[in-house]
Amino acid sequence: MSDLLARRWRPATFLPEADNRDGSLTFVVATLCFLACLMALTVLATNRAVNTWSDQLTSQATIIVRPRANETPDLAAARAAEALAGVPGVIEARALEREKAEALVEPWLGDITDLEDLPIPRLVAVDLDNASPATPSTLAAALKARGIDGIIDDHSIWTRDIARSADVIAWVCGGVFLLITAAAGAVIAFATRAGLLARREVVEVLHLTGAENLFIARLFQVRFAQLSAIAGALGAVGAAGVGAVLRLTAGGGELTHAIPILWSDLLVVAPCPLVAALVAAIAARMTAERMISEIT
Amino acid sequence: MGTSPLARLSDKLFAADDVLRFDNVSLTYGRRAEALRGISFALKPGSFHFITGASGAGKSSLMKLIYMAVKPTAGKIELFGHDVSKVSAGDLPFLRRRVGVVFQDFRLLDHLSAFDNAAVPLRIAGLKPESYRNDVAELLAWVGLKDRMHVLPPTLAGGEKQRLAIARAVVGRPEILLADEPTGNLDAEMSERILKLFTQLNRLGTTVLIATHDQTMVARSGMPVLHLDAGHLIRRAAGEE
Ligand SMILES: Nc1ncnc2c1ncn2[C@@H]1O[C@H](COP(=O)(O)OP(=O)(O)O)[C@@H](O)[C@H]1O
Ligand SMILES: [Mg+2]
């Protein structure tokens, strides 16, 4: 008795604390959480990369200038640059030198510096005002007014494609995330089932002593929620570790890196233990309630 | 629900004649022969009965029917005035809490200390540990487990387990106490002590039903006997052999 009073005594839980299946269950749930967190990091990084790219693309346009018969390509390009520079929404328009144009086409045509006569179209690079960029039609109108024949590429095809790819990645990640959540729920349901059968004696005694089904179900719910919270924390820490490695290997902090992860992105794994616990609680509760009313 | 204080009170008033009533009850396990056949009897509140009978006569089966671990194959059982086959799943736990059971195989929870085992019914009823700590310790001391309170059941001797099972059954002051061979592993002195505990509870109003082999205990107590013979109930007068 003195012993009882001395300790700040609390009764033991109705379910045995440890179970020899706990290790592997923790591992499985932790792995699922790890994958889910990686998924979230991927979505964040993809979104950032896409935003960076589209910002760069939408703030620029390229004009391909076709010289008229009585005009050198360089002159035509210079005239076009001049015409475009005055358009509202344009910050700067530069005619690219022949070398630059050649460099641009080199990947497709190879080295063409010897072919002096080849009529390489000249390019005019236009920097647009990000706040209110000039539309392709205003640019076209400005060229037409000066009688310049040019094709305007405002990169909208690229930005559309990139945005679409980003959407697809987000949807795929979302789908995989749901799949992982469902798998975690199923694993917990399975474990609850096994746990209930293994603890059948305990369940029966509690039942015959007047415990309500919900009371017993809650024991399993709490148990698996705790286990999953721990597993979720392990998975989250693992994923954050991977994210940190990517961040460090990216170096210098440029966002142009293929996987632009910021330190603050790693916070996205923080809710993982809570979400894992919640999913486990729901799965365990539903399974236990159904099963208890079946076996008793 | 039979759980509100008013409903419980009215339960008691209406059930005033019988705490328990068996009406032509039969029980068959699977496709075997009937374990119990056409059993009819009633227990008045505050009564004290023994159930005797050879091994396999159906004593434990009768107990199981009362604590609602099995359903009768035929007939009607009324507990506290409720037809147990018509009690809703939600009300069943509250009905069970009014019944204390000493299981023949004890059914202690091996991972809980003796103390926590004894406190199970109180915790299930929602009591706070602080409120029952002293009572449980006192009860365990009374059944001679004062020094064994923190021990896990697997390390208890047979007689100790039995006394713990008894403590758990009576700790919640049940309205009816069922004890299935509660003194089977106890020496004469402890048997007497346990019988005294049951008698005390009975005086406080608990209806007591004890299944036993122990003819000396039955004879000494002078309480009425329900005798089972191969699933049939044969009534005997008090003290009659
Ligand atoms: N769970 C069970 N399944 C099948 N038969 C059982 C079960 N429990 C008891 N029996 C049978 O029912 C009869 C009565 O058993 P029981 O009630 O345990 O008798 P007692 O307690 O008087 O020894 C016996 O023939 C026994 O074999
Ligand atoms: Mg028996």
Side-chain angles (χ1 to χ4, degrees), chain A residues 55-82:
Chain A
D55 277 358
Q56 284 168 357
L57 286 171
T58 49
S59 64
Q60 287 177 344
T62 310
I63 319 299
I64 303 164
V65 182
R66 273 191 297 241
R68 284 189 297 202
N70 56 352
E71 205 176 33
T72 67
D74 287 335
L75 186 65
R79 280 208 310 129
E82 199 188 315

PDB file of all heavy atoms in Angstrom, chain A residues 55-82:
ATOM      1  N   ASP A  55       8.091  32.203 -64.892  1.00  0.00           N
ATOM      2  CA  ASP A  55       8.384  33.623 -64.716  1.00  0.00           C
ATOM      3  C   ASP A  55       9.417  34.079 -65.731  1.00  0.00           C
ATOM      4  O   ASP A  55       9.266  35.127 -66.361  1.00  0.00           O
ATOM      5  CB  ASP A  55       8.920  33.883 -63.302  1.00  0.00           C
ATOM      6  CG  ASP A  55       7.792  34.024 -62.306  1.00  0.00           C
ATOM      7  OD1 ASP A  55       6.612  33.950 -62.760  1.00  0.00           O
ATOM      8  OD2 ASP A  55       8.055  34.190 -61.112  1.00  0.00           O
ATOM      9  N   GLN A  56      10.458  33.257 -65.874  1.00  0.00           N
ATOM     10  CA  GLN A  56      11.505  33.610 -66.826  1.00  0.00           C
ATOM     11  C   GLN A  56      10.947  33.643 -68.245  1.00  0.00           C
ATOM     12  O   GLN A  56      11.221  34.555 -69.018  1.00  0.00           O
ATOM     13  CB  GLN A  56      12.653  32.605 -66.744  1.00  0.00           C
ATOM     14  CG  GLN A  56      13.529  32.838 -65.520  1.00  0.00           C
ATOM     15  CD  GLN A  56      14.481  31.687 -65.278  1.00  0.00           C
ATOM     16  OE1 GLN A  56      14.444  30.692 -65.997  1.00  0.00           O
ATOM     17  NE2 GLN A  56      15.310  31.828 -64.271  1.00  0.00           N
ATOM     18  N   LEU A  57      10.135  32.644 -68.578  1.00  0.00           N
ATOM     19  CA  LEU A  57       9.621  32.544 -69.947  1.00  0.00           C
ATOM     20  C   LEU A  57       8.632  33.643 -70.280  1.00  0.00           C
ATOM     21  O   LEU A  57       8.661  34.214 -71.364  1.00  0.00           O
ATOM     22  CB  LEU A  57       8.973  31.181 -70.166  1.00  0.00           C
ATOM     23  CG  LEU A  57       9.971  30.029 -70.289  1.00  0.00           C
ATOM     24  CD1 LEU A  57       9.243  28.699 -70.281  1.00  0.00           C
ATOM     25  CD2 LEU A  57      10.800  30.181 -71.554  1.00  0.00           C
ATOM     26  N   THR A  58       7.738  33.945 -69.342  1.00  0.00           N
ATOM     27  CA  THR A  58       6.696  34.932 -69.662  1.00  0.00           C
ATOM     28  C   THR A  58       7.259  36.338 -69.669  1.00  0.00           C
ATOM     29  O   THR A  58       6.652  37.241 -70.206  1.00  0.00           O
ATOM     30  CB  THR A  58       5.524  34.871 -68.667  1.00  0.00           C
ATOM     31  OG1 THR A  58       6.068  34.893 -67.354  1.00  0.00           O
ATOM     32  CG2 THR A  58       4.690  33.641 -68.887  1.00  0.00           C
ATOM     33  N   SER A  59       8.435  36.544 -69.078  1.00  0.00           N
ATOM     34  CA  SER A  59       8.991  37.896 -69.092  1.00  0.00           C
ATOM     35  C   SER A  59       9.840  38.123 -70.340  1.00  0.00           C
ATOM     36  O   SER A  59      10.538  39.101 -70.442  1.00  0.00           O
ATOM     37  CB  SER A  59       9.810  38.138 -67.819  1.00  0.00           C
ATOM     38  OG  SER A  59      10.907  37.268 -67.804  1.00  0.00           O
ATOM     39  N   GLN A  60       9.798  37.153 -71.248  1.00  0.00           N
ATOM     40  CA  GLN A  60      10.583  37.303 -72.476  1.00  0.00           C
ATOM     41  C   GLN A  60       9.757  36.908 -73.692  1.00  0.00           C
ATOM     42  O   GLN A  60       8.834  36.116 -73.601  1.00  0.00           O
ATOM     43  CB  GLN A  60      11.813  36.388 -72.427  1.00  0.00           C
ATOM     44  CG  GLN A  60      12.885  36.884 -71.480  1.00  0.00           C
ATOM     45  CD  GLN A  60      14.040  35.920 -71.399  1.00  0.00           C
ATOM     46  OE1 GLN A  60      13.908  34.764 -71.804  1.00  0.00           O
ATOM     47  NE2 GLN A  60      15.153  36.382 -70.883  1.00  0.00           N
ATOM     48  N   ALA A  61      10.130  37.493 -74.819  1.00  0.00           N
ATOM     49  CA  ALA A  61       9.571  37.047 -76.094  1.00  0.00           C
ATOM     50  C   ALA A  61      10.721  37.072 -77.103  1.00  0.00           C
ATOM     51  O   ALA A  61      11.701  37.786 -76.912  1.00  0.00           O
ATOM     52  CB  ALA A  61       8.451  37.977 -76.547  1.00  0.00           C
ATOM     53  N   THR A  62      10.593  36.254 -78.109  1.00  0.00           N
ATOM     54  CA  THR A  62      11.632  36.231 -79.143  1.00  0.00           C
ATOM     55  C   THR A  62      10.976  36.511 -80.488  1.00  0.00           C
ATOM     56  O   THR A  62       9.910  35.973 -80.779  1.00  0.00           O
ATOM     57  CB  THR A  62      12.307  34.848 -79.186  1.00  0.00           C
ATOM     58  OG1 THR A  62      12.678  34.483 -77.859  1.00  0.00           O
ATOM     59  CG2 THR A  62      13.533  34.875 -80.075  1.00  0.00           C
ATOM     60  N   ILE A  63      11.580  37.400 -81.252  1.00  0.00           N
ATOM     61  CA  ILE A  63      11.033  37.727 -82.574  1.00  0.00           C
ATOM     62  C   ILE A  63      12.023  37.202 -83.630  1.00  0.00           C
ATOM     63  O   ILE A  63      13.222  37.464 -83.540  1.00  0.00           O
ATOM     64  CB  ILE A  63      10.902  39.253 -82.798  1.00  0.00           C
ATOM     65  CG1 ILE A  63      10.377  39.964 -81.541  1.00  0.00           C
ATOM     66  CG2 ILE A  63      10.070  39.546 -84.040  1.00  0.00           C
ATOM     67  CD1 ILE A  63       9.037  39.559 -81.070  1.00  0.00           C
ATOM     68  N   ILE A  64      11.507  36.427 -84.541  1.00  0.00           N
ATOM     69  CA  ILE A  64      12.338  35.975 -85.658  1.00  0.00           C
ATOM     70  C   ILE A  64      12.074  36.936 -86.827  1.00  0.00           C
ATOM     71  O   ILE A  64      10.944  37.044 -87.302  1.00  0.00           O
ATOM     72  CB  ILE A  64      11.966  34.548 -86.070  1.00  0.00           C
ATOM     73  CG1 ILE A  64      12.124  33.626 -84.837  1.00  0.00           C
ATOM     74  CG2 ILE A  64      12.841  34.061 -87.229  1.00  0.00           C
ATOM     75  CD1 ILE A  64      11.434  32.297 -85.014  1.00  0.00           C
ATOM     76  N   VAL A  65      13.117  37.612 -87.224  1.00  0.00           N
ATOM     77  CA  VAL A  65      12.949  38.658 -88.247  1.00  0.00           C
ATOM     78  C   VAL A  65      13.392  38.125 -89.609  1.00  0.00           C
ATOM     79  O   VAL A  65      14.493  37.589 -89.729  1.00  0.00           O
ATOM     80  CB  VAL A  65      13.775  39.904 -87.883  1.00  0.00           C
ATOM     81  CG1 VAL A  65      13.555  41.006 -88.917  1.00  0.00           C
ATOM     82  CG2 VAL A  65      13.406  40.387 -86.490  1.00  0.00           C
ATOM     83  N   ARG A  66      12.511  38.298 -90.609  1.00  0.00           N
ATOM     84  CA  ARG A  66      12.899  37.907 -91.974  1.00  0.00           C
ATOM     85  C   ARG A  66      13.219  39.169 -92.774  1.00  0.00           C
ATOM     86  O   ARG A  66      12.345  40.013 -92.963  1.00  0.00           O
ATOM     87  CB  ARG A  66      11.753  37.132 -92.628  1.00  0.00           C
ATOM     88  CG  ARG A  66      11.834  35.645 -92.308  1.00  0.00           C
ATOM     89  CD  ARG A  66      10.867  34.874 -93.164  1.00  0.00           C
ATOM     90  NE  ARG A  66       9.509  35.277 -92.864  1.00  0.00           N
ATOM     91  CZ  ARG A  66       8.583  34.431 -92.385  1.00  0.00           C
ATOM     92  NH1 ARG A  66       8.872  33.160 -92.211  1.00  0.00           N
ATOM     93  NH2 ARG A  66       7.376  34.838 -92.149  1.00  0.00           N
ATOM     94  N   PRO A  67      14.487  39.294 -93.168  1.00  0.00           N
ATOM     95  CA  PRO A  67      14.873  40.510 -93.898  1.00  0.00           C
ATOM     96  C   PRO A  67      14.137  40.590 -95.229  1.00  0.00           C
ATOM     97  O   PRO A  67      13.821  39.579 -95.838  1.00  0.00           O
ATOM     98  CB  PRO A  67      16.373  40.340 -94.083  1.00  0.00           C
ATOM     99  CG  PRO A  67      16.653  38.884 -93.885  1.00  0.00           C
ATOM    100  CD  PRO A  67      15.572  38.324 -93.035  1.00  0.00           C
ATOM    101  N   ARG A  68      13.841  41.828 -95.619  1.00  0.00           N
ATOM    102  CA  ARG A  68      13.274  42.003 -96.956  1.00  0.00           C
ATOM    103  C   ARG A  68      14.398  41.930 -97.977  1.00  0.00           C
ATOM    104  O   ARG A  68      15.584  41.981 -97.620  1.00  0.00           O
ATOM    105  CB  ARG A  68      12.544  43.347 -97.026  1.00  0.00           C
ATOM    106  CG  ARG A  68      11.220  43.286 -96.311  1.00  0.00           C
ATOM    107  CD  ARG A  68      10.430  44.520 -96.561  1.00  0.00           C
ATOM    108  NE  ARG A  68      11.139  45.695 -96.018  1.00  0.00           N
ATOM    109  CZ  ARG A  68      10.512  46.815 -95.710  1.00  0.00           C
ATOM    110  NH1 ARG A  68       9.215  46.932 -95.917  1.00  0.00           N
ATOM    111  NH2 ARG A  68      11.158  47.840 -95.235  1.00  0.00           N
ATOM    112  N   ALA A  69      14.048  41.825 -99.248  1.00  0.00           N
ATOM    113  CA  ALA A  69      15.024  41.590-100.315  1.00  0.00           C
ATOM    114  C   ALA A  69      16.151  42.633-100.339  1.00  0.00           C
ATOM    115  O   ALA A  69      17.308  42.310-100.514  1.00  0.00           O
ATOM    116  CB  ALA A  69      14.312  41.561-101.661  1.00  0.00           C
ATOM    117  N   ASN A  70      15.819  43.887-100.104  1.00  0.00           N
ATOM    118  CA  ASN A  70      16.810  44.950-100.222  1.00  0.00           C
ATOM    119  C   ASN A  70      17.488  45.293 -98.902  1.00  0.00           C
ATOM    120  O   ASN A  70      17.997  46.380 -98.719  1.00  0.00           O
ATOM    121  CB  ASN A  70      16.127  46.208-100.791  1.00  0.00           C
ATOM    122  CG  ASN A  70      14.952  46.603 -99.914  1.00  0.00           C
ATOM    123  OD1 ASN A  70      14.586  45.872 -99.001  1.00  0.00           O
ATOM    124  ND2 ASN A  70      14.369  47.754-100.207  1.00  0.00           N
ATOM    125  N   GLU A  71      17.485  44.374 -97.991  1.00  0.00           N
ATOM    126  CA  GLU A  71      17.885  44.698 -96.638  1.00  0.00           C
ATOM    127  C   GLU A  71      18.813  43.600 -96.109  1.00  0.00           C
ATOM    128  O   GLU A  71      18.602  42.425 -96.388  1.00  0.00           O
ATOM    129  CB  GLU A  71      16.611  44.697 -95.777  1.00  0.00           C
ATOM    130  CG  GLU A  71      16.672  45.538 -94.543  1.00  0.00           C
ATOM    131  CD  GLU A  71      15.309  45.518 -93.841  1.00  0.00           C
ATOM    132  OE1 GLU A  71      14.630  44.462 -93.914  1.00  0.00           O
ATOM    133  OE2 GLU A  71      14.925  46.501 -93.234  1.00  0.00           O
ATOM    134  N   THR A  72      19.825  43.968 -95.343  1.00  0.00           N
ATOM    135  CA  THR A  72      20.633  42.918 -94.705  1.00  0.00           C
ATOM    136  C   THR A  72      19.887  42.433 -93.465  1.00  0.00           C
ATOM    137  O   THR A  72      19.097  43.179 -92.879  1.00  0.00           O
ATOM    138  CB  THR A  72      22.004  43.456 -94.259  1.00  0.00           C
ATOM    139  OG1 THR A  72      21.783  44.407 -93.209  1.00  0.00           O
ATOM    140  CG2 THR A  72      22.758  44.102 -95.407  1.00  0.00           C
ATOM    141  N   PRO A  73      20.163  41.192 -93.113  1.00  0.00           N
ATOM    142  CA  PRO A  73      19.485  40.653 -91.913  1.00  0.00           C
ATOM    143  C   PRO A  73      19.781  41.502 -90.688  1.00  0.00           C
ATOM    144  O   PRO A  73      18.898  41.759 -89.872  1.00  0.00           O
ATOM    145  CB  PRO A  73      20.097  39.261 -91.776  1.00  0.00           C
ATOM    146  CG  PRO A  73      20.576  38.895 -93.141  1.00  0.00           C
ATOM    147  CD  PRO A  73      20.997  40.180 -93.788  1.00  0.00           C
ATOM    148  N   ASP A  74      21.015  41.961 -90.573  1.00  0.00           N
ATOM    149  CA  ASP A  74      21.366  42.758 -89.390  1.00  0.00           C
ATOM    150  C   ASP A  74      20.574  44.053 -89.324  1.00  0.00           C
ATOM    151  O   ASP A  74      20.093  44.438 -88.256  1.00  0.00           O
ATOM    152  CB  ASP A  74      22.867  43.081 -89.415  1.00  0.00           C
ATOM    153  CG  ASP A  74      23.688  41.857 -89.082  1.00  0.00           C
ATOM    154  OD1 ASP A  74      23.115  40.962 -88.391  1.00  0.00           O
ATOM    155  OD2 ASP A  74      24.855  41.782 -89.491  1.00  0.00           O
ATOM    156  N   LEU A  75      20.399  44.665 -90.443  1.00  0.00           N
ATOM    157  CA  LEU A  75      19.644  45.911 -90.483  1.00  0.00           C
ATOM    158  C   LEU A  75      18.186  45.667 -90.095  1.00  0.00           C
ATOM    159  O   LEU A  75      17.590  46.418 -89.312  1.00  0.00           O
ATOM    160  CB  LEU A  75      19.722  46.524 -91.886  1.00  0.00           C
ATOM    161  CG  LEU A  75      19.077  47.906 -92.019  1.00  0.00           C
ATOM    162  CD1 LEU A  75      19.842  48.935 -91.170  1.00  0.00           C
ATOM    163  CD2 LEU A  75      18.982  48.354 -93.472  1.00  0.00           C
ATOM    164  N   ALA A  76      17.625  44.597 -90.677  1.00  0.00           N
ATOM    165  CA  ALA A  76      16.230  44.265 -90.378  1.00  0.00           C
ATOM    166  C   ALA A  76      16.058  44.047 -88.879  1.00  0.00           C
ATOM    167  O   ALA A  76      15.114  44.552 -88.252  1.00  0.00           O
ATOM    168  CB  ALA A  76      15.812  42.995 -91.135  1.00  0.00           C
ATOM    169  N   ALA A  77      17.010  43.307 -88.284  1.00  0.00           N
ATOM    170  CA  ALA A  77      16.914  43.019 -86.851  1.00  0.00           C
ATOM    171  C   ALA A  77      17.013  44.304 -86.048  1.00  0.00           C
ATOM    172  O   ALA A  77      16.265  44.526 -85.089  1.00  0.00           O
ATOM    173  CB  ALA A  77      18.020  42.045 -86.448  1.00  0.00           C
ATOM    174  N   ALA A  78      17.916  45.174 -86.442  1.00  0.00           N
ATOM    175  CA  ALA A  78      18.102  46.437 -85.734  1.00  0.00           C
ATOM    176  C   ALA A  78      16.846  47.285 -85.810  1.00  0.00           C
ATOM    177  O   ALA A  78      16.405  47.867 -84.817  1.00  0.00           O
ATOM    178  CB  ALA A  78      19.282  47.197 -86.324  1.00  0.00           C
ATOM    179  N   ARG A  79      16.236  47.302 -86.993  1.00  0.00           N
ATOM    180  CA  ARG A  79      14.992  48.077 -87.146  1.00  0.00           C
ATOM    181  C   ARG A  79      13.884  47.504 -86.271  1.00  0.00           C
ATOM    182  O   ARG A  79      13.123  48.225 -85.638  1.00  0.00           O
ATOM    183  CB  ARG A  79      14.542  48.042 -88.614  1.00  0.00           C
ATOM    184  CG  ARG A  79      15.331  49.045 -89.494  1.00  0.00           C
ATOM    185  CD  ARG A  79      14.489  49.511 -90.669  1.00  0.00           C
ATOM    186  NE  ARG A  79      13.873  48.430 -91.432  1.00  0.00           N
ATOM    187  CZ  ARG A  79      12.578  48.382 -91.737  1.00  0.00           C
ATOM    188  NH1 ARG A  79      11.782  49.355 -91.360  1.00  0.00           N
ATOM    189  NH2 ARG A  79      12.092  47.387 -92.433  1.00  0.00           N
ATOM    190  N   ALA A  80      13.818  46.192 -86.231  1.00  0.00           N
ATOM    191  CA  ALA A  80      12.778  45.538 -85.427  1.00  0.00           C
ATOM    192  C   ALA A  80      12.979  45.867 -83.950  1.00  0.00           C
ATOM    193  O   ALA A  80      12.037  46.227 -83.235  1.00  0.00           O
ATOM    194  CB  ALA A  80      12.821  44.022 -85.636  1.00  0.00           C
ATOM    195  N   ALA A  81      14.245  45.785 -83.504  1.00  0.00           N
ATOM    196  CA  ALA A  81      14.535  46.067 -82.098  1.00  0.00           C
ATOM    197  C   ALA A  81      14.132  47.486 -81.759  1.00  0.00           C
ATOM    198  O   ALA A  81      13.525  47.751 -80.712  1.00  0.00           O
ATOM    199  CB  ALA A  81      16.018  45.846 -81.816  1.00  0.00           C
ATOM    200  N   GLU A  82      14.419  48.371 -82.655  1.00  0.00           N
ATOM    201  CA  GLU A  82      14.082  49.770 -82.446  1.00  0.00           C
ATOM    202  C   GLU A  82      12.568  49.959 -82.347  1.00  0.00           C
ATOM    203  O   GLU A  82      12.063  50.647 -81.468  1.00  0.00           O
ATOM    204  CB  GLU A  82      14.645  50.563 -83.629  1.00  0.00           C
ATOM    205  CG  GLU A  82      14.781  52.034 -83.379  1.00  0.00           C
ATOM    206  CD  GLU A  82      15.154  52.745 -84.702  1.00  0.00           C
ATOM    207  OE1 GLU A  82      16.053  52.216 -85.395  1.00  0.00           O
ATOM    208  OE2 GLU A  82      14.525  53.765 -85.026  1.00  0.00           O
TER     209      GLU A  82
END
